[in-house]
Amino acid sequence: MKFTLNWLKQYIDCAELTPAQLADRLTMAGLEVDAVEPLCHDIDEIVVARVESVSRHPNADRLTICQVTAGEGDSRQVVCGAPNVRAGLVTAIALPGVTMPGGFKIKPAKLRGEKSDGMLCSAKELGIGDDQGGILELPEDLPIGQSLVEALSLKDIMIEVDLTPNRADCASVLGTAREVGGFIGKKVTPPVTGELPKLSGTDLPFAVEVLDNVHCPRYAARLIKDVKIGTSPWWLKRLLLAVGLRPINNVVDVTNLVMLEYGQPLHAFDFNKLAGGKIVVRKAKAGEKIVTLDDVERELDLETLVICDADKPAAVAGVMGGSASQVDDRTVDILLESAYFEPVGIRRAARRLNMGTDSSYRFERGVDPEGIPFALERAVRLITETAGGTVVAGGVDLCATLPQPVELSLRVQRTSELLGMEFTADGICALLNGIDVPARKQDEATVIVQVPTFRVDLEREVDLVEEVARLHGYNEIPTTLPIVPMSFPEDDQARSLRKRLTTLLTGMGCYEAINYSFVNPRHFDMLGLSEDDPHRQVVPLLNPLSEDQSVMRSHLLPGLLENLRRNINHQQTDVRLFEIGKVFHHRDLDTQPQEVMELAVVMSGRRHPGAPRLHDGEALVDIYDGKGMVAAILADLRLSEVVTIEADSSSPAYAVGQSSLRVVSNGKMVGRIVRLEPKVLKKFGVKQETYFVSLDLVALVGLTAAPKVFASLPKFPSVQWDIALLVADQVGAGEMLAAITEHGDSLIEKAEIFDVYRGKNIEAGQKSVAIAVTYRAEDRTLDDETVNGVHKKIIKMMQTRFDARLRDA
Amino acid sequence: MEDEILRLKSEAHVALADLGKDDLEPFRVKYLGRKGLFTSMMRQLGQASAEDRPRLGKLANDIKQELAQAFAAKQDALGGGQQGVSAVPSLDLTLTGRSEPCGRPHPVTQVMEEVCGIFEGLGFTVAEGPDVETDFYNFEALNIPPHHPARDMHDTFYVSDSLLLRTHTSPMQIRTMTEQEPPLRMIAPGKVYRCDSDITHTPMFHQVEGFLVDRKVSFADLKGVLSVFIAKMFDADTAIRFRPSFFPFTEPSAEVDIGCVICAGKGCRVCKQTGWLEILGAGMIDPAVFAKIGYDPDQYSGFAFGLGIERIAMLKYGITDIRLYYENDLRFLSQF
Ligand SMILES: [Zn+2]
């Protein structure tokens, strides 16, 4: 909602407030001011001038040589290119030495050989409108030589208020003025007061029939004959331009002005274009169409309320008029409509036709049903003032069941309790009466409020409590802390797990990424997922912003790969990124999808990104980094006993088969550790080796962590014996290790692989695996003989199970 | 034996005083080496009586330490370090230390946790809900019927007629209230979605919604809790103002502004010259919402509030472009 300060002052004397103070007070009253801007900038030096005579430029077809007067005794030659320049035209001139808005300085010049001593200006050049028809056309009676700003009262300030949906009453300058009156303690002066003409009559030259008085409970109309359509007077154009509306003609401009003034949208029909001289308000019929004022043909459906003539729709009620009955230069008689349309119906129609207008905005929030005849009278007066014509006596004002004025009672104690401070009945009455909401004290405990029809938002007691708070001032209400019993929130395990993982992963050098929950469905092809892969069962959006964001993600990998590409493209090739987020699995159309929290990590480039090369060198990340990361996480979560990492024989298409591990718990896969397939990476624009780790956090939360149980510290020393074994290359060293720890003797405390070697001195197809075994007894220091016994058993087991040979020392 | 130890001490110190550069190594071997006099002295301690042994051991050890220090000082004074095979290469302490730098949580997570932490400290429980919500929880139950103009404030992504991407985390108010009885204190952090994308809007962002319901909770209490939050989140003397606003599920509704953290209230581009920055929306829970759940609005009252994490992070850290949050560029992530 935009208006100008001078416009506001027509209804309320608020001269005691500076524009900044006014803006602040409005904001603090809940009418948030978005902008306070002078109507025009840098045109103080522009003056009014008259073109005395014109002649053709000898050297240029499009230029005209004008003799111009820019003040008492002034006469100068100006070359002008505007098509509308003519003798007698009063316009605006920038004289030599003047700087135009935008910084251009006017100098005496020669244009195609002809002297030009100044510049005639258009509204656009002056920043006061977007009229491109040529130079400014001003009223002939303006004093020549006077400052344009003064002559046109351009010294004004535009104020824009960001209205909340509840304050329909302030979608008007008068409504805003009423609020201002509330905080400066004054009353508004509306332009129309007193007795209105009676809108009835039997022998009217037109008829109105309302067939749907649920959706149109009030319809008023009057006829004005013999108007003269033309451009509006400057004052009217200026107000419309100031608030961003395009002036059209004097009649349409008046309807727009009154809409802004009263908040009541009006419509003017060219009466002679209405078949049968008749208005019928009804729902559209099947197959009916209308070409609206924006020249778009629109199909109407049975729910849409239309204003028809005897044959066909002439306007979409409350939304937009039809071009067939539009007021144009040849219009002589106009039928002026002022009505109340039911808000929900208007909103539906505007949404369905996808045409929110200034009119639908107001109707869907609720106009003042009692303001209808006032707005109509105001428009009738202004039209006859600007376009002449004769008002046909009488008119139509059909009223069905209108929203009735409500009487509410407000409990003083309830108000005090809700707001946290003491109010009195008298205090409350004073506040409400200040904004023309009549309130009276019934007794000390109760206030009776007669809600005026313009305040459609005041329906319940609590609405009044808010008014009291608002008028008293939110910042004048005390600040206290609630007294609430202590409570002990349950632990949210999923949240604790996420927090712990974030700590662990950042400790491992990973940065956290957050990606959009919606992705491009093409990602699944890029990942090479098979047609029946469950990840393809996505949840699509009905109204995505783009293909790139059209389905809910079912996988975290694509987002991270895009992040990886971006980083590599910006020369950051050592990347460890993780994301903890939801993926969505489709169930059926009307059931909420399954939302599963997952962890995903991508690793690429150096093993220790950011670590000094001096110490850590250029070693690149490999599959063991992924495996170690998962193992460390499982150990930290005390899940190592119930979750295992094993080779994955059925790895997904985006993984390099022989470098693919799965994380398993109770036979169910709960994660992956894979080297990503270079072909897939290439599709995402990544050309360097990359590893991917994923974990299903829902599954992990469901697992029971190993309890923390104390074991007494060993009292006797351990001994460490090493074994070097030669085995076939395909034997898993990890399995050898597992065999030792799981199937060996109770004296074995731990075993660790400390070297795996192939090559020189080892025959082809073989490798040497060196294992350090630590032995310890709980109750004594071990002697060599005992250790040797166990050690031999191990070697024997290695020989039988893995066909291992002891390597000569 | 004690005498012997003390004698050795004075002998060694005398010898040390006269030491020349070439005598350093012989001295070290004689007194401090593995087969030196002090070591053999320690070995002989075994012969001392059990009660004297600890004391003498400590004495011998202290003297050896002291001598080692004096020797090191002498070595430095003579300008010669250890030489030959046993010499340690000199350390270049200007070299970078060895470390494996940590990563960081995303700035949105950091701010989100900070916000949650403050409210958890005030006894609020954290609850999370589904991102794909029903129209009922996201709108209807929050007093936003299908054709309410307030739906214009939410540019909604739809999944079907009845399912949508939540436009706020307020549905958790309803989910919690339908399952539990007051007193309730809860915050709901999470992702929310609006189909809007430009320099100041991303189609997904993060919100924390919170509410408190009990008997006799007042607007003054709302002001109190939010004032505490702002003082903790920003600065204890951050200016705060509450001004009237509108949300369908609260009444009275308020918008909360803080004094501009960039210009300190003087007026700048970020605060549109007003000196104030809007940081959260709040209000007393509308009785219509209580009615949907079956709470008696005359018995219970409560307040709710919601704030955007990205916006707070922008203000706290001076981030100027909201799109940076979701590009996950390490040059951005490593700053926080
Ligand atoms: Zn500022």
Side-chain angles (χ1 to χ4, degrees):
Chain A
M1 171 69 197
K2 291 178 179 174
F3 58 92
T4 77
L5 186 57
N6 289 343
W7 193 355
L8 184 77
K9 284 179 179 168
Q10 290 178 19
Y11 319 115
I12 187 93
D13 173 16
C14 56
E16 68 251 56
L17 297 176
T18 65
Q21 284 170 330
L22 177 70
D24 187 58
R25 297 292 290 270
L26 284 170
T27 296
M28 296 313 287
L31 304 173
E32 186 183 356
V33 172
D34 252 4
V36 179
E37 281 166 10
L39 216 52
C40 55
H41 299 269
D42 311 323
I43 59 165
D44 292 343
E45 297 168 299
I46 309 293
V47 294
V48 177
R50 182 169 47 233
V51 180
E52 301 294 355
S53 65
V54 294
S55 58
R56 277 190 49 200
H57 192 294
N59 307 320
D61 286 349
R62 299 224 182 115
L63 296 180
T64 311
I65 297 170
C66 316
Q67 296 305 316
V68 176
T69 313
E72 242 345 276
D74 177 75
S75 177
R76 58 183 68 234
Q77 175 171 316
V78 175
V79 177
C80 177
N84 64 333
V85 67
R86 58 186 184 270
L89 180 68
V90 174
T91 185
I93 189 168
L95 296 174
V98 166
T99 307
M100 295 291 288
F104 176 66
K105 196 164 179 183
I106 306 292
K107 290 180 216 141
K110 276 201 169 176
L111 288 174
R112 294 280 185 105
E114 289 294 327
K115 193 173 145 219
S116 184
D117 205 11
M119 186 177 96
L120 304 180
C121 308
S122 72
K124 193 174 183 201
E125 284 160 340
L126 297 175
I128 56 173
D130 57 357
D131 190 353
Q132 293 188 28
I135 54 172
L136 213 53
E137 301 207 12
L138 298 174
E140 284 171 24
D141 54 357
L142 288 186
I144 304 303
Q146 196 190 19
S147 144
L148 182 74
V149 171
E150 238 168 83
L152 297 181
S153 325
L154 288 174
K155 244 200 182 22
D156 200 351
I157 287 169
M158 191 279 293
I159 298 177
E160 182 173 14
V161 171
D162 183 9
L163 274 190
T164 52
N166 57 327
R167 293 308 300 274
D169 62 307
C170 288
S172 64
V173 190
L174 264 172
T176 309
R178 192 160 46 224
E179 278 294 317
V180 174
F183 52 72
I184 60 173
K186 292 181 185 167
K187 295 286 174 201
V188 293
T189 324
V192 176
T193 50
E195 197 79 358
L196 296 181
K198 273 219 156 7
L199 293 187
S200 58
T202 40
D203 41 356
L204 288 168
F206 68 100
V208 173
E209 196 180 348
V210 176
L211 298 179
D212 182 342
N213 57 24
V214 173
H215 292 97
C216 176
R218 186 167 191 178
Y219 195 98
R222 292 195 79 182
L223 185 62
I224 308 174
K225 300 195 80 134
D226 303 320
V227 295
K228 188 169 180 300
I229 304 296
T231 56
S232 294
W234 175 255
W235 68 265
L236 175 49
K237 283 206 271 194
R238 185 180 71 81
L239 285 185
L240 296 179
L241 286 168
V243 301
L245 286 186
R246 194 167 53 93
I248 295 168
N249 60 45
N250 43 13
V251 169
V252 174
D253 292 352
V254 164
T255 60
N256 281 331
L257 179 88
V258 174
M259 171 182 74
L260 297 168
E261 187 177 52
Y262 273 85
Q264 170 66 47
L266 302 172
H267 189 67
F269 295 96
D270 182 331
F271 181 62
N272 300 317
K273 295 178 189 160
L274 292 175
K278 191 178 177 188
I279 287 286
V280 181
V281 183
R282 60 166 168 82
K283 288 280 174 65
K285 293 175 185 162
E288 268 185 332
K289 288 179 186 167
I290 183 172
V291 177
T292 42
L293 284 174
D294 51 3
D295 286 327
V296 179
E297 187 181 67
R298 301 180 186 264
E299 292 202 20
L300 301 166
D301 74 352
L302 301 178
E303 289 294 299
T304 306
L305 192 71
V306 282
I307 313 297
C308 305
D309 60 15
D311 307 329
K312 60 194 179 301
V316 181
V319 181
M320 195 182 276
S323 62
S325 58
Q326 148 181 27
V327 173
D328 58 28
D329 294 350
R330 291 179 303 275
T331 300
V332 178
D333 302 334
I334 55 167
L335 186 72
L336 201 57
E337 162 200 291
S338 179
Y340 182 93
F341 299 115
E342 188 273 327
V344 172
I346 296 301
R347 185 172 164 78
R348 262 200 202 113
R351 289 249 124 180
R352 195 175 34 236
L353 295 170
N354 195 20
M355 44 199 291
T357 59
D358 284 331
S359 166
S360 69
Y361 175 90
R362 287 170 174 79
F363 281 122
E364 67 187 48
R365 280 161 178 76
V367 299
D368 176 8
E370 286 180 6
I372 284 165
F374 290 94
L376 186 59
E377 177 63 15
R378 171 70 166 159
V380 165
R381 289 184 196 175
L382 282 176
I383 286 173
T384 49
E385 201 177 286
T386 60
T390 322
V391 186
V392 173
V396 161
D397 186 1
L398 301 174
C399 272
T401 322
L402 279 171
Q404 287 304 300
V406 210
E407 189 178 273
L408 293 174
S409 79
L410 175 63
R411 291 168 291 174
V412 175
Q413 196 198 341
R414 173 83 181 145
T415 308
S416 301
E417 276 173 8
L418 266 178
L419 299 181
M421 64 175 288
E422 288 306 313
F423 284 93
T424 62
D426 288 323
I428 290 173
C429 289
L431 288 172
L432 292 173
N433 286 320
I435 51 161
D436 295 344
V437 174
R440 67 185 161 79
K441 176 165 88 173
Q442 186 178 47
D443 50 49
E444 289 307 328
T446 317
V447 170
I448 302 295
V449 178
Q450 214 61 48
V451 178
T453 50
F454 57 80
R455 286 304 299 269
V456 292
D457 57 322
L458 303 182
E459 298 171 318
R460 305 166 301 164
E461 183 185 38
V462 69
D463 301 330
L464 297 174
V465 173
E466 178 173 65
E467 284 304 287
V468 172
R470 193 173 72 83
L471 296 167
H472 178 73
Y474 281 10
N475 295 306
E476 308 309 314
I477 292 174
T479 297
T480 57
L481 281 174
I483 296 163
V484 188
M486 280 187 77
S487 58
F488 40 97
E490 293 274 319
D491 249 5
D492 180 345
Q493 301 216 358
R495 187 170 133 80
S496 308
L497 173 65
R498 294 202 308 267
K499 281 195 187 175
R500 184 67 198 151
L501 287 173
T502 301
T503 307
L504 288 172
L505 288 160
T506 51
M508 294 174 191
C510 301
Y511 281 90
E512 187 191 11
I514 299 180
N515 282 293
Y516 288 133
S517 300
F518 19 63
V519 294
N520 193 325
R522 223 164 48 81
H523 284 161
F524 305 120
D525 297 329
M526 290 160 75
L527 287 181
L529 299 183
S530 62
E531 282 309 314
D532 58 349
D533 190 294
H535 288 102
R536 285 184 184 269
Q537 297 297 310
V538 288
V539 181
L541 298 180
L542 293 180
N543 54 335
L545 284 176
S546 69
E547 172 81 4
D548 273 347
Q549 304 177 343
S550 59
V551 300
M552 299 306 283
R553 63 183 176 183
S554 57
H555 211 302
L556 297 180
L557 177 57
L560 288 173
L561 286 179
E562 292 191 334
N563 302 154
L564 178 61
R565 178 193 51 217
R566 184 184 174 81
N567 277 295
I568 293 172
N569 288 349
H570 288 93
Q571 297 165 302
Q572 300 166 106
T573 50
D574 305 329
V575 179
R576 279 190 178 203
L577 279 174
F578 74 98
E579 179 163 11
I580 295 175
K582 282 176 179 173
V583 295
F584 301 79
H585 300 302
H586 179 78
R587 286 201 267 234
D588 64 70
L589 200 59
D590 286 311
T591 313
Q592 281 169 278
Q594 191 190 7
E595 300 185 4
V596 182
M597 197 63 86
E598 287 188 354
L599 161 71
V601 188
V602 290
M603 296 189 276
S604 194
R606 289 172 64 221
R607 169 159 302 144
H608 301 300
R613 277 162 207 268
L614 171 71
H615 304 301
D616 288 85
E618 302 288 336
L620 297 181
V621 71
D622 64 24
I623 192 80
Y624 301 113
D625 292 286
K627 190 177 180 186
M629 173 181 278
V630 173
I633 288 171
L634 293 174
D636 182 88
L637 302 176
R638 311 184 67 81
L639 294 175
S640 306
E641 300 283 313
V642 287
V643 184
T644 53
I645 301 171
E646 53 193 48
D648 188 5
S649 49
S650 59
S651 58
Y654 54 78
V656 174
Q658 64 270 37
S659 307
S660 181
L661 293 163
R662 43 192 227 136
V663 186
V664 178
S665 169
N666 294 320
K668 187 176 161 264
M669 190 174 78
V670 297
R672 289 187 191 283
I673 304 158
V674 301
R675 181 183 159 195
L676 292 170
E677 173 60 46
K679 274 185 240 148
V680 170
L681 287 172
K682 214 173 143 198
K683 291 204 170 102
F684 283 92
V686 176
K687 292 190 202 102
Q688 61 186 48
E689 195 167 306
T690 300
Y691 291 83
F692 168 63
V693 169
S694 70
L695 286 174
D696 173 350
L697 302 191
V698 177
L700 290 191
V701 168
L703 298 174
T704 313
K708 295 181 181 175
V709 181
F710 170 72
S712 49
L713 307 186
K715 292 191 183 65
F716 296 91
S718 63
V719 287
Q720 183 186 307
W721 285 35
D722 298 346
I723 316 173
L725 295 159
L726 288 173
V727 289
D729 213 6
Q730 61 271 26
V731 171
E735 287 168 30
M736 296 166 70
L737 195 66
I740 295 173
T741 48
E742 286 161 26
H743 304 291
D745 195 278
S746 65
L747 294 178
I748 300 170
E749 187 178 64
K750 70 171 190 211
E752 186 188 2
I753 297 168
F754 65 90
D755 190 33
V756 176
Y757 177 74
R758 295 176 189 82
K760 210 174 157 196
N761 298 331
I762 307 286
E763 63 186 87
Q766 294 268 302
K767 64 184 172 189
S768 154
V769 177
I771 302 173
V773 186
T774 308
Y775 300 93
R776 193 198 302 266
E778 262 177 54
D779 53 351
R780 64 188 191 281
T781 303
L782 286 172
D783 55 57
D784 286 0
E785 204 178 320
T786 315
V787 175
N788 195 25
V790 183
H791 205 65
K792 279 196 169 138
K793 273 203 281 180
I794 291 177
I795 292 167
K796 185 129 203 201
M797 177 178 72
M798 292 291 119
Q799 285 167 340
T800 46
R801 281 191 58 180
F802 301 103
D803 197 18
R805 279 182 297 130
L806 209 53
R807 192 180 166 200
D808 303 330
Chain B
M1 181 153 293
E2 188 171 349
D3 293 346
E4 222 169 307
I5 297 172
L6 293 172
R7 192 190 53 73
L8 190 59
K9 175 186 174 181
S10 59
E11 178 197 310
H13 279 282
V14 170
L16 184 65
D18 293 338
L19 230 47
K21 196 169 180 180
D22 295 338
D23 307 326
L24 281 169
E25 187 59 13
F27 177 91
R28 191 189 66 78
V29 172
K30 182 175 177 190
Y31 293 99
L32 298 166
R34 274 204 307 182
K35 292 177 181 162
L37 290 172
F38 271 97
T39 311
S40 56
M41 175 77 71
M42 307 281 250
R43 292 215 182 94
Q44 287 167 38
L45 285 176
Q47 295 158 18
S49 69
E51 61 202 73
D52 283 346
R53 212 181 292 151
R55 186 178 57 83
L56 292 175
K58 184 172 182 326
L59 179 69
N61 205 39
D62 286 353
I63 290 171
K64 189 183 173 188
Q65 298 278 321
E66 190 188 307
L67 188 65
Q69 275 174 24
F71 175 72
K74 187 80 182 179
Q75 233 176 357
D76 282 352
L78 291 175
Q82 286 175 330
Q83 289 152 1
V85 260
S86 60
V88 171
S90 69
L91 284 175
D92 181 355
L93 297 177
T94 63
L95 291 180
T96 321
R98 179 178 289 118
S99 69
E100 283 178 39
C102 291
R104 312 270 171 83
H106 194 282
V108 163
T109 304
Q110 293 186 35
V111 173
M112 185 100 104
E113 283 307 324
E114 196 176 343
V115 172
C116 290
I118 294 170
F119 286 107
E120 283 175 289
L122 288 165
F124 283 71
T125 312
V126 179
E128 290 161 354
D131 290 25
V132 180
E133 254 305 353
T134 63
D135 188 273
F136 176 79
Y137 283 112
N138 196 77
F139 288 129
E140 289 259 27
L142 287 161
N143 201 27
I144 316 175
H147 290 281
H148 195 284
R151 288 209 178 194
D152 286 350
M153 294 158 85
H154 301 248
D155 293 317
T156 313
F157 283 114
Y158 283 93
V159 167
S160 69
D161 281 349
S162 60
L163 293 179
L164 45 83
L165 301 190
R166 63 178 174 192
T167 58
H168 45 194
T169 56
S170 315
M172 283 312 288
Q173 260 184 57
I174 308 299
R175 289 185 177 271
T176 307
M177 282 196 275
T178 34
E179 282 159 20
Q180 296 170 40
E181 286 293 312
L184 291 172
R185 265 174 292 177
M186 196 208 72
I187 49 166
K191 294 186 165 95
V192 298
Y193 307 85
R194 306 261 171 108
C195 45
D196 199 354
S197 186
D198 58 38
I199 296 212
T200 51
H201 298 86
T202 49
M204 179 186 90
F205 55 101
H206 294 75
Q207 208 182 43
V208 171
E209 152 94 17
F211 74 96
L212 182 150
V213 180
D214 199 359
R215 291 169 203 275
K216 304 222 164 137
V217 176
S218 72
F219 190 80
D221 295 335
L222 164 68
K223 288 184 66 182
V225 167
L226 294 181
S227 300
V228 167
F229 165 71
I230 287 165
K232 291 232 168 210
M233 194 72 203
F234 294 92
D235 200 307
D237 33 84
T238 306
I240 308 176
R241 71 174 191 187
F242 291 76
R243 60 188 162 77
S245 188
F246 171 79
F247 306 106
F249 40 97
T250 53
E251 183 148 23
S253 299
E255 208 84 65
V256 186
D257 297 341
I258 59 169
C260 179
V261 291
I262 287 143
C263 62
K266 289 186 205 78
C268 68
R269 196 183 49 81
V270 177
C271 60
K272 290 198 238 159
Q273 309 304 330
T274 61
W276 294 97
L277 295 167
E278 187 178 312
I279 61 150
L280 44 79
M284 301 302 292
I285 296 173
D286 196 294
V289 174
F290 283 147
K292 292 250 190 234
I293 287 145
Y295 287 1
D296 177 357
D298 275 350
Q299 291 280 324
Y300 291 112
S301 56
F303 58 77
F305 52 87
L307 51 101
I309 298 299
E310 280 81 350
R311 176 158 173 82
I312 293 195
M314 287 178 109
L315 298 179
K316 270 188 85 111
Y317 304 141
I319 299 167
T320 49
D321 185 347
I322 192 165
R323 290 167 300 192
L324 284 169
Y325 285 117
Y326 303 109
E327 288 172 351
N328 300 308
D329 189 318
L330 290 168
R331 294 168 302 175
F332 174 76
L333 297 176
S334 58
Q335 292 181 29
F336 305 99

